[in-house]
Amino acid sequence: MEKIYQTEEEFLKDYDASLYEKLSITADDIIFSIATKEQKNYRKLDQKVFSVLLIKRNDFPFKGCWSLPGGFVGIKETIDEAAKRILKQKTNLENIYMEQLYTYSNVDRDPRMRVISTSYIALIDRSKLKDKLSQDAAWFQIQYTETKDKVNVTLKNENEQIKFVVEKKLKEKTTNQYEYVIKENGGLAFDHAMLIVSALQRLKNKIEYTDIIFNIMPEYFTLSELQNVYELILNKPLLKPAFRRVISKKVEKTDKMLTGEGHRPSVLYRYKG
Amino acid sequence: MEKIYQTEEEFLKDYDASLYEKLSITADDIIFSIATKEQKNYRKLDQKVFSVLLIKRNDFPFKGCWSLPGGFVGIKETIDEAAKRILKQKTNLENIYMEQLYTYSNVDRDPRMRVISTSYIALIDRSKLKDKLSQDAAWFQIQYTETKDKVNVTLKNENEQIKFVVEKKLKEKTTNQYEYVIKENGGLAFDHAMLIVSALQRLKNKIEYTDIIFNIMPEYFTLSELQNVYELILNKPLLKPAFRRVISKKVEKTDKMLTGEGHRPSVLYRYKG
DNA sequence: CTAATAGTGTCTATTAGACAGTATGTT
DNA sequence: AACATACTGTCTAATAGACACTATTAG
């Protein structure tokens, strides 16, 4: 016969937490940053490069594959804390912009067992990155093309190239929400090709109506550099006068200049928080 | 000595899933809808009412308190499926607009044990609600006022009134993200006051740049009704000509009219998907 | 006729798109 | 000098804000 509890205290004392089936949860970080690639022509501006951090897996499953940095959430830890801990392990950085993206719960995401994964976007200003990356980690340049129903992504580092294709399926027309289905995963672990595309899309959207971009920029930057980063992430060219008009509300001039570039120097700006 | 695995298959066969500490996950639904309250003055338009569905808890913890509909996610079920199952249990509705909101993982959210909760927003067009609600469920009208750093919410049904206050703490200035901290929870279970405020904010944002509102509207509606719903959710009046100009891209005229209202009849429109 | 809402016209202010021009440091 | 980029001016098109007006029905 079931016992009738009169008070919450009494109930909690007897509560058997093992009654419910449990599962494991991981945090996966999609860490983006901007790097600078020097140009050979002394007159040309240095090119900006948009990249994501990947980890070479040292264990099964997917041993030897590249994957997003991730790990199990401890029993006394929030998912946010786990996401930050993983970021710190790989980059030795703290106080970095992070945002929860989505919680994925497909039953067969992980071949080992039932694992739910919450993904986080992190944006790193590389000038803060003083220490070396953890030795299993590497930056991969992101280049992508997008059509109405497909995203093609190429990730490159000095030695390797990963290409994958994700299909966009309209899930909800009222809100333009898509479901992303991996068509070719290019050897990436788990469903990480999909997580990267989701993160890219989120970043691309947010860049249009928030100031999120300043988290990936160094403290001082020229307006051309800033425009360049916008263009890289949005994947389309912007008109200079319009860009300057709009961005001028968000930034402030400093008395610093960027000189020695083989052409007219430019004023350095700063985010007007 | 640790065994060295040569193939993934071999590794998976031996993998002991119990090695990692596990936890439970619940799905919580924040179900919004619009109802119509008849006016006494025959000339006046019926008033729209914005509401959320709450459940009277029949078990500890928080026995007797109102809470959001929620429940544990099964081991063979995705969180999305759980969220839909819960919605169906309480409203007998399927194919309803649902969207994942956030995953909360504070260690002490639930007094019983470590529980992580993923919240979902659902929008219901009440004309689809043919069956009675489950007997522990009730609609509560939402009214709220908002300042720079606080949200005051009143939930009302025929017999009861729940008032709660949630503080807004700016978490990230670049993206205007807030952390919500419950100041008075008005007797709601768990951290549900906070979940309701988060969902309200998300809805309020999305209504401005998506067509999400049409999920809460019946198939045919007048532009005044639609404007009324916008105003209820945004909590601010809109100018009629501007509203009509903008909304005209999203809706189409039908040949139906709404008559018998004590004044000039109005054309019924439909969402132009 | 009147109350109440439906629906339109228009003026102005603001913002976005496009292009052409001028300015300036480095080699 | 010439190259490459910095930076500005201005015209036009599109959009948003504000207000006043006309139109139509039930009672």
Side-chain angles (χ1 to χ4, degrees):
Chain A
M1 205 190 88
E2 209 179 333
K3 181 170 169 189
I4 308 290
Y5 292 98
Q6 298 303 327
T7 69
E8 185 145 341
E9 212 174 67
E10 201 186 331
F11 164 81
L12 285 174
K13 217 182 66 203
D14 274 18
Y15 188 85
D16 180 3
S18 70
L19 272 176
Y20 294 91
E21 287 190 274
K22 297 190 181 181
L23 29 77
S24 298
I25 183 156
T26 64
D28 287 316
D29 291 347
I30 301 122
I31 307 170
F32 292 120
S33 84
I34 298 287
T36 306
K37 207 159 99 188
E38 280 192 27
Q39 291 294 90
K40 288 155 212 159
N41 182 340
Y42 76 95
R43 287 193 186 279
K44 289 268 192 186
L45 276 179
D46 291 342
Q47 218 181 290
K48 298 289 172 188
V49 165
F50 178 44
S51 31
V52 65
L53 192 76
L54 297 183
I55 304 293
K56 186 93 158 194
R57 283 186 66 82
N58 199 23
D59 292 309
F60 290 114
F62 297 101
K63 184 167 178 171
C65 293
W66 290 98
S67 79
L68 292 168
F72 286 95
V73 175
I75 199 76
K76 294 244 165 84
E77 189 185 41
T78 65
I79 318 179
D80 283 47
E81 285 161 0
K84 283 179 193 160
R85 171 174 53 77
I86 290 157
L87 176 73
K88 169 118 165 94
Q89 278 167 7
K90 300 304 178 186
T91 64
N92 201 27
L93 285 173
E94 288 172 286
N95 300 116
I96 289 300
Y97 177 85
M98 294 193 89
E99 169 186 342
Q100 194 188 98
L101 176 60
Y102 200 81
T103 299
Y104 298 92
S105 60
N106 279 348
V107 173
D108 52 3
R109 287 190 64 253
D110 190 309
R112 290 168 290 190
M113 57 174 174
R114 181 76 198 272
V115 177
I116 282 174
S117 160
T118 301
S119 60
Y120 282 77
I121 293 177
L123 299 182
I124 289 185
D125 155 19
R126 285 233 194 151
S127 69
K128 282 196 193 134
L129 221 175
K130 298 298 181 203
D131 301 296
K132 261 202 164 158
L133 293 176
S134 122
Q135 56 85 19
D136 54 352
W139 291 109
F140 279 75
Q141 175 178 5
I142 306 173
Q143 286 172 311
Y144 72 98
T145 59
E146 189 173 351
T147 62
K148 199 176 62 69
D149 53 311
K150 231 186 244 175
V151 186
N152 289 273
V153 182
T154 307
L155 304 180
K156 264 187 218 161
N157 73 3
E158 297 74 46
N159 324 302
E160 285 182 74
Q161 181 161 318
I162 298 169
K163 282 193 183 203
F164 58 86
V165 181
V166 173
E167 194 186 341
K168 290 161 66 179
K169 279 192 175 164
L170 191 59
K171 199 163 68 180
E172 184 44 55
K173 67 179 173 185
T174 57
T175 50
N176 269 311
Q177 280 178 79
Y178 291 94
E179 188 180 339
Y180 298 105
V181 182
I182 299 173
K183 286 290 154 187
E184 301 169 30
N185 84 349
L188 276 180
F190 303 102
D191 49 4
H192 290 181
M194 192 247 286
L195 300 214
I196 291 171
V197 168
S198 300
L200 254 178
Q201 301 284 338
R202 170 90 138 241
L203 184 60
K204 201 172 146 186
N205 284 332
K206 279 223 161 170
I207 227 172
E208 305 244 36
Y209 66 93
T210 71
D211 298 350
I212 196 174
I213 197 170
F214 296 106
N215 295 297
I216 215 172
M217 299 298 293
E219 186 176 0
Y220 298 98
F221 47 81
T222 70
L223 294 187
S224 294
E225 286 173 328
L226 185 59
Q227 181 174 345
N228 202 233
V229 174
Y230 266 98
E231 289 174 335
L232 267 177
I233 298 177
L234 293 175
N235 218 8
K236 70 178 182 201
L238 302 174
L239 288 169
K240 188 151 65 169
F243 176 76
R244 282 169 178 249
R245 226 174 11 215
V246 173
I247 211 72
S248 67
K249 297 161 209 155
K250 302 185 177 178
V251 297
E252 59 191 10
K253 246 186 191 153
T254 67
D255 51 10
K256 294 183 178 32
M257 299 282 281
L258 183 67
T259 55
E261 297 290 303
H263 49 78
R264 180 173 170 179
S266 61
V267 174
L268 288 166
Y269 284 76
R270 183 171 28 194
Y271 176 49
K272 184 161 60 184
Chain B
M1 203 190 90
E2 209 179 332
K3 181 170 170 190
I4 308 291
Y5 291 99
Q6 298 302 328
T7 69
E8 185 144 341
E9 211 173 67
E10 200 185 331
F11 163 82
L12 286 174
K13 216 181 68 204
D14 274 17
Y15 188 84
D16 180 3
S18 70
L19 271 176
Y20 293 91
E21 286 191 274
K22 296 188 180 183
L23 29 77
S24 297
I25 184 156
T26 63
D28 288 316
D29 291 347
I30 300 122
I31 306 172
F32 293 119
S33 85
I34 298 287
T36 306
K37 207 160 97 187
E38 280 193 27
Q39 291 293 90
K40 286 153 213 160
N41 181 340
Y42 77 96
R43 286 193 187 278
K44 287 270 192 184
L45 276 178
D46 292 344
Q47 217 182 290
K48 298 288 172 188
V49 165
F50 178 45
S51 30
V52 65
L53 192 77
L54 297 183
I55 303 293
K56 187 92 158 192
R57 282 185 66 84
N58 200 23
D59 292 309
F60 289 113
F62 298 102
K63 183 168 177 171
C65 293
W66 290 99
S67 78
L68 292 169
F72 286 95
V73 176
I75 198 78
K76 295 244 165 85
E77 190 184 42
T78 65
I79 317 180
D80 283 46
E81 284 161 2
K84 283 179 192 160
R85 170 173 54 75
I86 291 158
L87 175 73
K88 168 117 165 96
Q89 278 166 10
K90 300 303 177 186
T91 64
N92 201 25
L93 284 174
E94 288 172 285
N95 299 116
I96 290 298
Y97 177 86
M98 294 193 90
E99 169 186 342
Q100 193 188 99
L101 176 61
Y102 201 81
T103 299
Y104 298 93
S105 60
N106 279 347
V107 173
D108 52 2
R109 287 191 63 254
D110 191 310
R112 289 169 290 190
M113 57 175 177
R114 181 76 198 272
V115 177
I116 281 174
S117 160
T118 301
S119 61
Y120 282 77
I121 293 178
L123 299 182
I124 289 184
D125 155 19
R126 284 235 194 149
S127 69
K128 282 197 194 135
L129 220 176
K130 298 298 182 207
D131 301 296
K132 263 203 165 158
L133 293 176
S134 122
Q135 55 85 20
D136 54 351
W139 292 109
F140 280 73
Q141 176 178 6
I142 306 172
Q143 286 171 311
Y144 72 99
T145 59
E146 188 172 352
T147 61
K148 199 176 61 67
D149 53 317
K150 229 185 247 176
V151 186
N152 288 272
V153 183
T154 307
L155 305 180
K156 264 186 218 160
N157 73 2
E158 297 74 48
N159 324 302
E160 285 182 75
Q161 182 161 319
I162 298 169
K163 282 192 182 203
F164 58 87
V165 181
V166 173
E167 195 186 340
K168 290 162 65 179
K169 279 191 174 165
L170 191 59
K171 201 162 67 179
E172 185 43 56
K173 67 179 175 185
T174 57
T175 50
N176 270 308
Q177 280 177 79
Y178 291 93
E179 189 180 339
Y180 298 104
V181 182
I182 299 173
K183 285 290 154 187
E184 300 167 31
N185 83 348
L188 277 180
F190 304 102
D191 49 3
H192 290 182
M194 191 248 287
L195 300 213
I196 291 171
V197 169
S198 300
L200 254 178
Q201 300 284 338
R202 170 90 136 240
L203 185 60
K204 202 172 144 186
N205 284 332
K206 278 223 161 169
I207 228 173
E208 306 245 36
Y209 66 92
T210 71
D211 298 349
I212 196 172
I213 197 169
F214 296 107
N215 295 296
I216 214 172
M217 299 298 293
E219 187 176 2
Y220 298 98
F221 47 82
T222 70
L223 294 187
S224 294
E225 287 174 327
L226 185 59
Q227 182 173 345
N228 204 233
V229 175
Y230 265 99
E231 289 173 336
L232 267 177
I233 298 176
L234 293 175
N235 218 8
K236 70 176 184 204
L238 302 174
L239 288 167
K240 187 155 65 169
F243 176 77
R244 282 167 177 250
R245 228 176 9 216
V246 172
I247 212 73
S248 68
K249 297 161 207 154
K250 301 184 178 180
V251 296
E252 59 190 10
K253 247 187 191 153
T254 68
D255 51 10
K256 294 182 178 34
M257 299 283 280
L258 182 67
T259 55
E261 297 289 303
H263 49 77
R264 178 172 172 180
S266 61
V267 173
L268 287 166
Y269 284 76
R270 185 172 25 194
Y271 176 50
K272 183 160 61 183

